[in-house]
Amino acid sequence: MAALVLVAYGPTLGHGFVWDDHEQVVNNPHLEDASSLGRFFRTDVLSIARDSGERSNYYRPLFYVQYVAYRHAFGLDPRGWHAMALLWHLLASCAAWGLARRLGFSPAVALGAAALFALHPAHGESVSWVAAAFNDPPVAVALMLGLCGHLAHCRKPRAGRAGWGLGLGVLGYGLALLTKESALSMLLLVPLVELYVRATEDPSETTPGNGPAAVALAQAIVLALLAVVMASELPLGDLAIRHAHAVAGAQLAALGLGAVATLRAVPSLRGYGTQARGAFLGLLPYLGLTVLYFYVRKLAIHTSFGVYAGAVDTGQWLATLPSLGLYYLRFLFWPWGFAPSYPARYVDGWGDPAAMAAALAWLAIAAAAAWWCRGRPVRWLGVLFVVACVWPVVHVRSFRPTYLVHQRYLYLAVFGLCLVLAHWALGRAEGTAMRRRFRLGVLGVLGILWTASLWHHNGAWASDVALWTRIAEVDPQNPASHEWLGARAMEEGRLDDAEAMFRRAVEMAPASPTAHRNLAVLLHTRRGRPADALASYERALAAFTVRPDLREEALEAEVNYGAALAQAGRSGDALGVLLPLARRPPHSPAAVRNAAVLLRAAGHLDDLRSLLALAVAQHPEDPTLGAMLRDVQRTAPAPGEDTDAP
């Protein structure tokens, strides 16, 4: 397994930090001091990486605990970080082998499934990118080991071991929850693996409750209970934040009443009662931990599920899900064309032909899957395992609109496909020797093709240039790629390319403050056309007003706007912009310096002296401001001063 992982992912050891790695790792001061550990459990991921006040829906304290450990171990040497990413993927592959064995598969099938799991190209993002490598693989390790423990508990060979198994299951689930929200898949995986093992170990039990319908029923119960939490929070808005304790208490009461009602109702469902009720009862420790998790999460980040500030309405969200599901199906079965971003966007509603076509396609896929799995428990296990691991991703209302799908969300789900393929090739005794060799050959070819796909696609994660170039190729309507590549072109002096990219970004995202700001800076500082830059500055400042998380960028743009006004010959307007900025906290030194030049040119020496005195008091570390104040005091003394004094 180690050899497979090293061959497939060895090139990533030469990769650097890219994208979110810069703010989460490279420029994050909270990783340098272990005293920050407590803060990780009291706030969200984005607040830890940024001091701008921007919040996110992600509560992942153990994710950052790992970061502190790696920062102290490796510093900012990316080789150590990527080596740890490979180690986590190796551990996940070994855990996949252990889970397959615990499910009752032969050593050969288990090893084949684990090997395929290690090589599937959908894992490229989760292993090659530091920001993903320390949540998806650790969550998979914790959940698969937890499932192994739960299955040991179900078999109960000895009382002591049974208790140990349940403890391992709950511990693995808890650690995974504190690492990434997708760990909620455990609530669907527990009844799935438990009923599969019961049905395969005792074939004499042929009641309908042993089949996939019982699994689906138990899973639907769990999803319905979680939907109660989500549905009760969405209409509350700011009320849920101001009264977090009360809202959490009401949600917990709803969950409790729903659980009691379910326990009373399930046995009355003829044909599925005993097994489904047993599966639900086996979930109780995990449901209890889930309730505790939601309570702690709400107190820390003020939301149970969370919705992105610019989220679309529910109708668009639901109409978009079928087309997003087709993306994940493609990632699973056609592992080619991977990129950090894809041209997946919200559809307008069910009136959109794309939404209806995707929904009809899923009806056909579901019917074909039901026929293909009929009477074959391993196939049912594989299909339902994939579904159980992907369902948290449907909550795309908490995602940014240009990043609705990522192949890393399939990290654990891939195990279901790999298990079915390995069982087909290595677990079937029937057939001639030639057929068995053919199946083995298919596995070998898959391994070679998947490794080639990894080598080809993982290069996109080697550097920021490679990453944004790949995004521009695959998702040309993503304005962020044009903004980044345009900024790079401007740094390298390719001004024509930079202006073309910035204008393209403005065209695609007219409400983006950074797109307008970048174009204005190019025209102003690099093209030497401040008058032409004024309109772009004004559009950028208007867009910044709805982005309080970008206060520093907005302040810098406003200072540049004032400077452009002055250079365009509008000194009065420039002073009207710069002077309020200079006098208002945080008393931007750049605004003070520019306003001081204009005040001196206009002969307002008293205003100039008072402004510089205020600025020096606020920024004593700035040598330029002190020099300007001394100069104005020397050349223009205050009224009443003795001008002949030495």
Side-chain angles (χ1 to χ4, degrees):
M1 294 301 301
L4 286 177
V5 170
L6 189 60
V7 167
Y9 292 96
T12 65
L13 293 173
H15 289 186
F17 294 112
V18 298
W19 211 353
D20 291 347
D21 299 342
H22 297 294
E23 68 174 14
Q24 292 182 359
V25 177
V26 179
N27 302 316
N28 192 343
H30 301 294
L31 304 185
E32 300 174 358
D33 188 358
S35 62
S36 298
L37 292 177
R39 182 184 180 186
F40 300 160
F41 291 85
R42 299 192 302 270
T43 189
D44 62 285
V45 167
L46 201 57
S47 296
I48 298 171
R50 302 178 186 175
D51 294 325
S52 62
E54 187 177 1
R55 303 296 299 270
S56 70
N57 303 318
Y58 305 123
Y59 180 64
R60 303 171 181 177
L62 292 187
F63 174 57
Y64 267 108
V65 168
Q66 293 180 80
Y67 271 7
V68 171
Y70 304 144
R71 180 68 176 267
H72 281 76
F74 310 116
L76 293 178
D77 185 348
R79 293 173 297 180
W81 293 75
H82 285 290
M84 287 302 303
L86 266 62
L87 178 60
W88 272 116
H89 185 55
L90 173 61
L91 292 175
S93 302
C94 293
W97 173 85
L99 178 57
R101 291 290 291 134
R102 180 60 66 177
L103 286 167
F105 291 95
S106 68
V109 172
L111 185 60
L116 291 173
F117 180 86
L119 296 176
H120 197 286
H123 294 334
E125 185 174 341
S126 297
V127 183
S128 305
W129 183 25
V130 167
F134 302 117
N135 51 53
D136 293 311
V139 165
V141 171
L143 291 189
M144 286 194 280
L145 291 181
L147 290 172
C148 290
H150 183 80
L151 291 175
H153 163 71
C154 294
R155 289 193 171 98
K156 296 181 181 179
R158 293 193 303 272
R161 192 174 180 182
W164 170 85
L166 182 60
L168 178 60
V170 174
L171 175 63
Y173 180 44
L175 293 175
L177 279 176
L178 294 177
T179 306
K180 190 172 183 179
E181 296 78 3
S182 59
L184 291 168
S185 297
M186 187 75 162
L187 296 177
L188 303 189
L189 293 173
V190 165
L192 172 62
V193 299
E194 182 177 337
L195 290 176
Y196 170 80
V197 169
R198 287 180 179 177
T200 53
E201 287 188 345
D202 190 0
S204 62
E205 295 183 10
T206 56
T207 61
N210 278 329
V215 179
L217 178 60
Q219 294 175 340
I221 292 169
V222 175
L223 289 178
L225 291 176
L226 293 178
V228 171
V229 178
M230 180 178 174
S232 65
E233 182 170 307
L234 290 180
L236 295 178
D238 292 338
L239 180 65
I241 297 177
R242 293 197 303 270
H243 305 287
H245 285 279
V247 174
Q251 291 173 331
L252 299 184
L255 282 172
L257 292 175
V260 171
T262 301
L263 286 173
R264 294 180 62 86
V266 168
S268 65
L269 299 176
R270 187 175 64 181
Y272 304 105
T274 303
Q275 287 75 22
R277 186 173 186 269
F280 184 73
L281 285 172
L283 273 173
L284 286 182
Y286 303 95
L287 284 174
L289 185 59
T290 304
V291 168
L292 178 62
Y293 163 75
F294 277 130
Y295 181 70
V296 172
R297 173 185 168 88
K298 176 174 283 294
L299 296 184
I301 68 172
H302 308 302
T303 176
S304 293
F305 280 80
V307 177
Y308 174 59
V312 299
D313 60 56
T314 304
Q316 287 179 281
W317 165 52
L318 292 175
T320 304
L321 293 183
S323 59
L324 297 185
L326 292 178
Y327 267 95
Y328 289 109
L329 199 65
R330 192 203 92 185
F331 294 156
L332 198 62
F333 291 102
W334 182 249
W336 200 259
F338 292 122
S341 175
Y342 301 92
R345 303 291 187 271
Y346 284 108
V347 299
D348 294 332
W350 290 109
D352 191 311
M356 291 304 300
L360 292 175
W362 273 110
L363 288 176
I365 291 169
W371 172 84
W372 182 69
C373 296
R374 185 176 52 185
R376 295 177 173 86
V378 175
R379 295 183 181 180
W380 272 119
L381 173 66
V383 170
L384 292 177
F385 196 98
V386 172
V387 173
C389 294
V390 172
W391 78 269
V393 178
V394 304
H395 188 46
V396 292
R397 292 188 73 198
S398 64
F399 299 174
R400 295 194 180 276
T402 47
Y403 302 104
L404 297 183
V405 294
H406 290 284
Q407 72 265 21
R408 67 176 181 271
Y409 299 141
L410 285 174
Y411 189 86
L412 183 57
V414 164
F415 177 73
L417 171 66
C418 296
L419 197 60
V420 172
L421 289 173
H423 181 262
W424 169 78
L426 302 168
R428 299 176 62 180
E430 71 273 11
T432 64
M434 182 175 292
R435 287 186 177 180
R436 290 195 292 271
R437 285 195 294 270
F438 169 75
R439 295 169 190 158
L440 284 173
V442 170
L443 285 192
V445 171
L446 275 180
I448 294 172
L449 292 177
W450 288 0
T451 302
S453 176
L454 287 170
W455 288 351
H456 176 74
H457 294 104
N458 286 358
W461 298 97
S463 66
D464 284 307
V465 173
L467 182 144
W468 290 109
T469 300
R470 179 62 176 165
I471 290 178
E473 293 172 355
V474 176
D475 188 9
Q477 296 303 311
N478 186 338
S481 62
H482 299 281
E483 292 176 9
W484 195 94
L485 292 172
R488 182 62 178 245
M490 186 167 64
E491 290 177 3
E492 296 174 351
R494 296 182 287 112
L495 301 186
D496 291 339
D497 293 341
E499 183 172 349
M501 292 178 186
F502 289 153
R503 292 192 182 280
R504 178 64 173 155
V506 166
E507 179 185 348
M508 289 188 294
S512 169
T514 54
H516 292 290
R517 187 271 315 273
N518 290 342
L519 178 59
V521 169
L522 172 70
L523 295 173
H524 176 195
T525 65
R526 304 304 294 272
R527 294 289 198 188
R529 292 154 43 192
D532 294 341
L534 294 178
S536 294
Y537 274 130
E538 291 164 358
R539 295 189 188 99
L541 293 174
F544 273 125
T545 59
V546 296
R547 293 293 305 273
D549 55 298
L550 299 178
R551 288 190 298 269
E552 293 183 4
E553 291 86 344
L555 177 60
E556 181 182 357
E558 197 165 3
V559 171
N560 288 340
Y561 174 54
L565 284 169
Q567 294 170 11
R570 297 168 56 182
S571 299
D573 293 335
L575 198 57
V577 171
L578 293 169
L579 196 55
L581 289 178
R583 290 173 172 170
R584 185 175 65 235
H587 308 288
S588 165
V592 172
R593 289 191 292 268
N594 283 280
V597 172
L598 294 174
L599 286 172
R600 187 156 194 162
H604 302 309
L605 300 184
D606 291 339
D607 291 338
L608 172 61
R609 186 181 301 105
S610 63
L611 175 64
L612 288 173
L614 174 65
V616 169
Q618 295 295 323
H619 301 283
E621 76 287 352
D622 192 312
T624 304
L625 295 178
M628 294 178 76
L629 179 59
R630 289 190 298 271
D631 179 66
V632 73
Q633 288 175 337
R634 182 172 56 253
T635 58
E641 282 188 8
D642 184 1
T643 57
D644 296 329

